[in-house]
Amino acid sequence: MSLSPDQIRQVAHLARLELKPEMTDAYARQLSNIMEMVGQLSRADTAKVLPMAHPLDMHQRLRVDEVTAPNQREAFQAIAPATENGLYLVPKVLE
């Protein structure tokens, strides 16, 4: 897939990137090469490949889920500017 300079300018605009006019052709070639590599990957036959959660055949070692720190909520809320019913009160940021 070959990208035109107009398409490169449009992508740069959408991404809010400054694009110098003299770099448009170079970026067009580079992005076209990337798109071609992605096209090659999408044409690869993966029908017999099993999905995996991790590239290495490993099992996640899990630790016991236990409380290790004391509950300091009241101490933290005592120094907070504003709390109510155990919740922190913050200024409204959306209208």
Side-chain angles (χ1 to χ4, degrees):
M1 174 180 193
S2 181
L3 298 172
S4 70
D6 288 335
Q7 290 172 316
I8 298 299
R9 282 190 285 277
Q10 182 181 11
V11 168
H13 173 73
L14 291 173
R16 303 297 189 254
L17 297 174
E18 180 182 5
L19 179 63
K20 296 180 180 166
E22 63 271 10
M23 296 301 295
T24 305
D25 290 333
Y27 285 133
R29 281 192 306 277
Q30 291 173 2
L31 285 174
S32 294
N33 290 340
I34 291 170
M35 296 300 288
E36 178 57 34
M37 289 187 336
V38 169
Q40 289 176 5
L41 288 174
S42 66
R43 289 189 298 271
D45 182 19
T46 59
K48 296 181 182 176
V49 178
L50 296 175
M52 54 186 179
H54 195 278
L56 302 177
D57 189 20
M58 300 173 57
H59 295 286
Q60 180 71 31
R61 291 182 291 173
L62 301 175
R63 63 175 171 78
V64 178
D65 189 15
E66 59 186 29
V67 177
T68 57
N71 182 359
Q72 298 180 357
R73 183 170 116 183
E74 291 179 11
F76 293 141
Q77 289 194 344
I79 59 173
T83 61
E84 183 179 299
N85 297 328
L87 302 174
Y88 294 97
L89 300 178
V90 296
K92 185 177 179 180
V93 295
L94 298 175
E95 297 289 329

